[in-house]
């Protein structure tokens, strides 16, 4: 499961973790902006960063996270898993995945990528699942503060297919990796 931009919402973190369990996911990749709402955003529903930290700490062995522009060293002090890496390079079915928050390297300023790679980032709070010239661009949108009329959303990867889903689990879009 891939999610981004929790921004300290206990309400949506609980819903996300509920979806994580219902989906039967093995790992949860969080693309930053975990505890703090940021000065440009309104407070999300159920804003309670301490409770979000407690919830995420309870599944710490199942998390992989990258740092968002609203994440800081003080946030790391609350969390029992690492969140301060600017990016992670992963391999998925023989393809390189560059996972980042998106405020430094995003769809408009991608890192150097090989043909067929996957650029995965949050930050914009806008869902995306687009084939670009050299890479596949995926953005799960935002769990707690979606923008542009998007629903609260996340991405699942199963059997070679990426599924964009809303917080009720309905498929909004899909892309076959094969």
């Amino acid at each position: 499961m891939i999610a981004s931009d929790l921004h300290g919402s206990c309400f949506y973190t609980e819903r996300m973790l509920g979806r994580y369990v219902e989906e039967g996911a093995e790992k949860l990749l969080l693309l930053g902006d975990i505890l703090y709402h940021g000065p440009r955003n309104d407070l999300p529903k159920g804003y309670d960063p301490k409770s979000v930290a407690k919830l995420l700490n309870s599944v710490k062995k199942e998390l992989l996270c990258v740092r968002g522009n609203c994440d800081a060293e003080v946030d790391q002090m609350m969390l029992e898993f690492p969140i301060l890496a600017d990016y992670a390079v992963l391999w998925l079915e023989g393809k390189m995945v560059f996972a980042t928050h998106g405020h430094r390297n995003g769809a408009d300023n991608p890192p150097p990528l090989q043909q067929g790679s996957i650029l995965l980032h949050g930050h914009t709070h806008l869902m995306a699942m687009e084939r670009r010239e050299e890479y596949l661009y995926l953005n799960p949108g935002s769990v707690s503060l979606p923008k542009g009329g998007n629903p609260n959303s996340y991405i699942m990867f199963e059997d070679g297919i990426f599924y964009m889903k809303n917080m009720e689990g309905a498929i909004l879009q899909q892309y076959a990796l094969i």
Side-chain angles (χ1 to χ4, degrees), residues 22-175:
E22 288 179 37
E23 295 278 6
E26 296 174 16
K27 289 284 183 188
L28 175 56
L29 172 58
L30 295 177
L31 300 175
D33 286 358
I34 297 170
L35 297 180
Y36 180 53
H37 73 288
R40 295 182 302 165
N41 296 312
D42 293 330
L43 286 175
K45 182 175 183 176
Y47 185 68
D48 185 354
K50 287 182 183 179
S51 293
V52 170
K54 186 175 181 179
L55 285 168
L56 294 176
N57 285 339
S58 74
V59 294
K60 63 186 172 190
K61 292 182 180 179
E62 299 168 46
L63 297 177
L64 176 61
C65 303
V66 295
R67 180 183 198 157
N69 59 306
C70 292
D71 297 324
E73 286 81 5
V74 70
D75 299 328
Q76 182 63 81
M77 294 169 62
M78 296 287 299
L79 300 168
E80 299 170 2
F81 52 91
I83 66 162
L84 296 179
D86 286 330
Y87 64 90
V89 175
L90 312 166
W91 292 94
L92 182 64
E93 298 191 2
K95 299 198 181 291
M96 186 191 86
V97 178
F98 188 91
T100 189
H101 181 61
H103 61 293
R104 291 197 175 126
N105 290 114
D108 295 331
N109 183 30
L113 297 169
Q114 294 179 341
Q115 186 71 36
S117 296
I118 299 167
L119 175 61
L120 177 60
H121 75 74
H123 183 61
T124 64
H125 300 219
L126 299 169
M127 302 179 313
M129 197 171 272
E130 304 169 4
R131 168 58 57 196
R132 300 280 175 107
E133 190 173 317
E134 293 183 6
Y135 60 90
L136 174 62
Y137 165 49
L138 301 173
N139 187 324
S142 175
V143 168
S144 68
L145 293 169
K147 294 182 180 176
N150 284 216
N152 307 72
S153 56
Y154 62 95
I155 292 175
M156 284 297 302
F157 181 77
E158 185 176 0
D159 298 326
I161 301 173
F162 287 102
Y163 297 95
M164 183 76 68
K165 295 187 173 189
N166 66 19
M167 294 307 283
E168 288 73 41
I171 297 171
L172 306 171
Q173 193 176 355
Q174 65 186 48
Y175 186 91

Side-chain angles (χ1 to χ4, degrees), residues 6-23:
L6 306 176
H7 289 288
S9 171
C10 185
F11 176 82
Y12 283 109
T13 299
E14 286 175 337
R15 291 187 71 197
M16 176 194 68
L17 291 176
R19 294 299 319 144
Y20 176 77
V21 170
E22 288 179 37
E23 295 278 6

